[in-house]
Amino acid sequence: MLEQMLATHSILVKIFLGFLVAGLFIPMMTAKKPLGFRKASFIYTMIFQAIATMIAFSGLVAMMTGEMSLSIAIIIMIVLFAVMMYLEIKKYKLIKIAKIENPETHKLLKGGFLKISAVQILLVTVMVVLMVLKVKGIVAI
């Protein structure tokens, strides 16, 4: 059961990483449509939160069924989840309340969207690499 939950967790993380990379194309696809950017951002945020919550839940189930203790790696994952959710919610709220019809504001928000998405991709990638190194015995956390 534990192996199945860890495999599910791993697959969800890979799907999430692919989703984050695909999200980089949202500002490019909606370059001429500010309101389309706002709608796409809303849909992106909802899917982001759904996948991130599935990852957190599968990790929690794996931790409980595997009777794992609260290690440094698990604490890092919990903090990473909280930081990523905070960034995503702040990003969407900013896009939601901004006067996006203004071309300069639209350009600024697209740049912010890309920067935050790049940071989120970096965070997930670093955590994946850290866990791979842990499994191989190179890093002891």
Side-chain angles (χ1 to χ4, degrees):
M1 172 98 166
L2 177 61
E3 293 82 20
Q4 186 177 9
M5 284 310 303
L6 290 175
T8 301
H9 186 72
S10 176
I11 290 168
L12 284 170
V13 169
K14 290 173 184 139
I15 290 169
F16 187 56
L17 195 53
F19 173 76
L20 290 173
V21 171
L24 291 172
F25 295 104
I26 289 175
M28 294 172 217
M29 293 186 317
T30 59
K32 305 274 190 237
K33 300 177 250 175
L35 294 177
F37 175 67
R38 182 178 283 158
K39 287 179 185 177
S41 176
F42 174 72
I43 293 167
Y44 176 86
T45 299
M46 294 302 114
I47 295 171
F48 176 99
Q49 291 176 346
I51 297 172
T53 303
M54 284 188 278
I55 291 169
F57 181 74
S58 67
L60 180 65
V61 170
M63 187 176 93
M64 293 300 163
T65 59
E67 297 178 7
M68 298 176 185
S69 62
L70 199 60
S71 66
I72 301 281
I74 292 174
I75 292 170
I76 292 171
M77 284 186 251
I78 292 168
V79 170
L80 183 72
F81 171 79
V83 167
M84 290 187 61
M85 282 297 218
Y86 174 79
L87 287 173
E88 188 61 31
I89 291 167
K90 281 295 195 186
K91 177 176 73 174
Y92 176 69
K93 280 188 176 182
L94 184 63
I95 292 170
K96 182 180 177 182
I97 64 170
K99 295 184 181 192
I100 203 160
E101 294 81 14
N102 182 349
E104 292 176 14
T105 304
H106 183 226
K107 183 178 177 182
L108 182 68
L109 289 174
K110 287 191 314 182
F113 186 98
L114 290 171
K115 288 175 189 170
I116 291 173
S117 293
V119 168
Q120 290 171 335
I121 291 168
L122 178 68
L123 290 172
V124 173
T125 304
V126 166
M127 193 66 220
V128 167
V129 169
L130 185 64
M131 292 309 292
V132 168
L133 293 176
K134 178 184 175 190
V135 168
K136 291 190 180 221
I138 297 172
V139 176
I141 56 167

